[in-house]
């Protein structure tokens, strides 16, 4: 597709979204909820055919993809339920008080209004849950915002198939086509054109730091800048303290190996840095982790360019750290494990780059203070996991506070891969893990991104709905 044709296609899609914007913003809860539930139903009804297409394009396997459809349908229905509970129509009312300020005031009603058409950039690694009908689309639709989906080049046939199913649902419910539109085959330049389109009022993005920050800059360079909700990846440090390792190191090693290689390591929450303290339990754990990783084979990565990116990032880390393991190669790359000390890690930015694949760096610290310095050097991250920080001690309190400063989610058990869709979830974090650390892209609070508060002063009752 030429640039002229791509821009024309974007213009047409955005124009339809703009035409539907007022209708969808003013639509009833029941109409929005019915659409979300019907989209979930149609995904499940066509699950078998969709999984075949998705596996051909992504190599993620039918079991993983079937589970992802279940998650996507679950969150579509969840947003419908959350919408019915009043999430998009919360009001705060302060009645008028006679007299002069500060005690006196007019009547004020704080309401939430849909922000307008949203450009949604699909992710490569979740072809259902972060794509055409994924969480960003579901949350924006629930908020009353039309969505223009930028299909991902890693699964174009699947994107078209899912969108066509969604379009049939819109037709069946007699809804405007512009409530959900799709832009196919758009280049990076066309993606920038979409972000800067004057009728787009917000952007939701899940992807790489490089691509996300480029689009974020374009969103802020517009004549009228717009919110850019970008989730840009993360290295997700996991701190394994001796207390945890002495109790159950073998099971923890097995669990961590599975998390590192899940989906060929192509998860934004994949643990990429393992922070440990010197000691016998740590040395035993490192051997157990290496042994657990050795026989594991990964499937092919999502795209050749991702494989190239992983190999390059791994080679850079290998130049600055000790290589402990290069495991068994399968259809995908062999798992890798590297080791360095805390001071080297803090001093070398190359060791803090994300390896988007089945690899991690073990960082050995001398004490808990040094562990905190390691976390501080990482900066913003989606998750930090703290194994063994369960006792209420001053040292653990300090460690948790540090983890909270740099993370959107802090775990005390388990591994960060697997992000539950619920009201309490937070999937975001300080820069550079996301561009809007006060928001989440997973969970029902995600729809708050696409609602703008308005205070109505002395308004008639009909205007306060």
């Amino acid at each position: 597709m030429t640039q002229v044709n791509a821009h024309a296609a974007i213009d047409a899609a955005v124009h339809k979204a703009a035409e539907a914007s007022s209708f969808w913003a003013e639509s009833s809860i029941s109409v929005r909820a019915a659409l979300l539930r019907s989209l979930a139903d149609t995904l499940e009804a066509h699950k078998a055919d969709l999984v075949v297409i998705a596996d051909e394009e992504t190599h993620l396997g039918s079991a993983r993809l079937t589970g992802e459809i279940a998650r996507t349908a679950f969150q579509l229905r969840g947003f419908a339920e959350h919408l019915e509970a009043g999430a998009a129509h919360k009001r705060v009312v302060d009645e008028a008080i006679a007299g002069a300020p500060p005690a006196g005031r007019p009547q004020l009603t704080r309401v939430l209004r849909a922000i307008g058409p949203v450009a949604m950039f699909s992710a490569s690694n979740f072809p259902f849950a972060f794509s055409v009908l994924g969480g960003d689309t579901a949350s924006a639709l629930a908020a009353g915002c039309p969505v223009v989906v930028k299909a991902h080049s890693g699964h174009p046939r699947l994107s078209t198939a899912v969108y066509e199913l969604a379009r049939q649902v819109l037709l069946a419910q007699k809804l405007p086509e512009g409530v959900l539109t799709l832009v196919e085959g758009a280049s990076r330049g066309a993606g920038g054109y979409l972000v800067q389109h004057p009728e787009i009022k917000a952007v939701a993005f899940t992807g790489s730091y490089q691509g996300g920050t480029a689009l974020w800059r374009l969103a802020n360079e517009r004549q009228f800048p717009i919110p850019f909700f970008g989730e840009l990846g993360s290295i997700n440090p996991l701190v394994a303290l001796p207390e945890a390792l002495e109790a159950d190191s073998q099971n923890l090693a097995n669990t961590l190996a599975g998390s590192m290689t899940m989906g060929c390591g192509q998860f934004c929450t994949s643990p990429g840095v393992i922070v440990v303290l010197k000691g016998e339990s740590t040395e035993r754990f490192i051997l157990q982790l290496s042994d657990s990783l050795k026989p594991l084979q990964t499937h092919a990565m999502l795209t050749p360019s991702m494989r190239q990116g992983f190999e390059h990032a791994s080679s850079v880390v290998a130049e600055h750290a000790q290589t402990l393991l290069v495991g068994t190669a399968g259809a995908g790359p062999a798992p890798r494990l590297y080791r360095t000390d805390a001071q080297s890690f803090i001093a070398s930015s190359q060791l803090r780059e994300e390896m988007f694949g089945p690899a991690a760096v073990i960082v050995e610290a001398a004490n808990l203070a040094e562990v905190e310095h390691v976390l501080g050097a990482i900066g913003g991250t989606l998750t930090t996991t703290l194994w063994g920080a369960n006792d209420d001690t001053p040292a653990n309190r300090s460690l948790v506070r540090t983890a909270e400063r740099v993370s959107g989610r802090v775990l005390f058990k388990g591994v960060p891969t697997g992000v539950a869709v619920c009201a309490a979830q937070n999937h975001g974090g300080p820069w550079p893990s996301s561009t809007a650390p006060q928001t989440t892209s997973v969970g029902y609070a995600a729809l708050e991104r696409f609602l703008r508060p308005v205070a109505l002063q002395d308004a008639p009752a009909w205007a306060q709905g």
Side-chain angles (χ1 to χ4, degrees):
M1 182 183 293
T2 67
Q3 185 180 63
V4 172
N5 290 339
H7 288 186
I10 290 170
D11 287 338
V14 175
H15 182 64
K16 289 177 184 178
E19 284 188 325
S21 186
S22 293
F23 167 84
W24 194 240
E26 295 168 10
S27 64
S28 67
I29 292 173
S30 61
V31 167
R32 293 186 213 169
L35 174 61
L36 292 167
R37 290 193 171 99
S38 293
L39 292 174
D41 291 344
T42 198
L43 267 181
E44 291 178 330
H46 296 84
K47 173 174 58 181
D49 292 338
L50 293 174
V51 164
V52 170
I53 298 171
D55 193 31
E56 288 174 352
E57 290 190 310
T58 68
H59 318 293
L60 290 174
S62 59
R64 151 74 191 276
L65 292 164
T66 299
E68 195 178 322
I69 286 183
R71 172 205 168 111
T72 306
F74 175 85
Q75 67 187 5
L76 284 162
R77 295 189 180 104
F79 276 109
E81 293 171 4
H82 203 60
L83 188 59
E84 289 168 338
H89 295 83
K90 294 176 182 177
R91 296 196 310 162
V92 178
V93 179
D94 282 319
E95 298 296 349
I97 296 177
R105 62 168 182 253
Q107 193 269 359
L108 286 163
T109 303
R110 189 178 192 270
V111 297
L112 299 174
R113 299 298 189 226
I115 202 167
V118 173
M120 196 288 288
F121 284 71
S122 299
S124 61
N125 55 339
F126 283 91
F128 292 108
F130 282 85
S131 190
V132 177
L133 294 181
D136 286 332
T137 297
S139 56
L141 291 176
C145 299
V147 179
V148 180
V149 175
K150 162 69 166 61
H152 196 279
S153 59
H155 45 267
R157 289 193 297 121
L158 178 66
S159 298
T160 302
V162 172
Y163 174 70
E164 182 56 31
L165 292 173
R167 193 177 70 84
Q168 293 302 321
V169 172
L170 291 172
L171 288 172
Q173 297 191 359
K174 297 181 170 56
L175 297 174
E177 184 181 357
V179 169
L180 182 65
T181 53
L182 180 72
V183 177
E184 303 175 76
S187 64
R188 289 186 179 181
Y193 182 79
L194 175 59
V195 167
Q196 293 198 312
H197 198 290
E199 291 181 303
I200 290 295
K201 302 304 179 185
V203 179
F205 173 90
T206 301
S208 69
Y209 172 80
Q210 291 81 7
T213 52
L215 293 174
W216 169 78
R217 291 188 183 96
L218 291 176
N220 285 282
E221 289 170 0
R222 290 171 44 135
Q223 180 182 5
F224 302 103
I226 58 174
F228 185 94
F229 302 106
E231 189 262 278
L232 309 180
S234 179
I235 58 175
N236 306 296
L238 184 150
V239 179
L241 298 178
E243 292 87 337
L245 300 182
E246 288 166 4
D248 198 18
S249 61
Q250 183 63 67
N251 284 330
L252 292 175
N254 294 341
T255 300
L256 181 54
S259 180
M260 287 174 54
T261 55
M262 181 185 296
C264 197
Q266 298 168 117
F267 280 64
C268 54
T269 53
S270 183
V273 173
I274 304 159
V275 189
V276 295
L277 294 175
K278 294 179 180 179
E280 291 183 9
S281 61
T282 290
E283 295 303 323
R284 181 173 64 250
F285 171 71
I286 292 172
L287 288 174
Q288 291 167 334
L289 178 59
S290 296
D291 289 341
S292 296
L293 285 169
K294 277 179 187 177
L296 298 183
Q297 295 188 19
T298 60
H299 58 69
M301 298 194 84
L302 292 162
T303 65
S305 63
M306 286 190 177
R307 175 68 183 262
Q308 292 168 7
F310 171 69
E311 296 293 352
H312 173 72
S314 299
S315 67
V316 171
V317 170
E319 292 175 1
H320 295 82
Q322 176 191 2
T323 300
L324 292 182
L325 172 74
V326 177
T328 305
R336 291 106 195 258
L337 198 59
Y338 304 97
R339 183 172 185 169
T340 190
D341 62 88
Q343 291 304 315
S344 297
F345 182 85
I346 292 167
S348 175
S349 61
Q350 291 89 345
L351 292 172
R352 302 194 296 273
E353 294 296 323
E354 182 180 19
M355 292 181 286
F356 195 64
V361 180
I362 295 174
V363 180
E364 188 177 63
N367 49 52
L368 285 177
E370 204 166 59
V371 171
E372 292 188 37
H373 290 315
V374 168
L375 297 181
I378 290 171
T381 180
L382 294 173
T383 73
T384 296
T385 302
L386 305 176
W387 285 349
N390 297 316
D391 293 338
D392 187 357
T393 65
N396 282 347
R397 282 179 174 264
S398 179
L399 180 60
V400 170
R401 284 194 297 270
T402 299
E404 289 178 342
R405 280 196 296 271
V406 302
S407 315
R409 177 164 57 112
V410 179
L411 296 79
F412 293 83
K413 295 180 180 180
V415 286
T417 41
V419 186
V421 180
C422 57
Q425 186 57 268
N426 188 72
H427 188 63
W431 185 278
S433 61
S434 68
T435 60
Q438 72 277 24
T439 67
T440 179
S441 63
V442 177
Y444 303 125
L447 69 78
E448 296 171 6
R449 297 174 296 174
F450 308 116
L451 294 168
R452 184 174 62 85
V454 178
L456 304 175
Q457 184 168 317
D458 290 330
W462 62 264
Q464 299 180 37

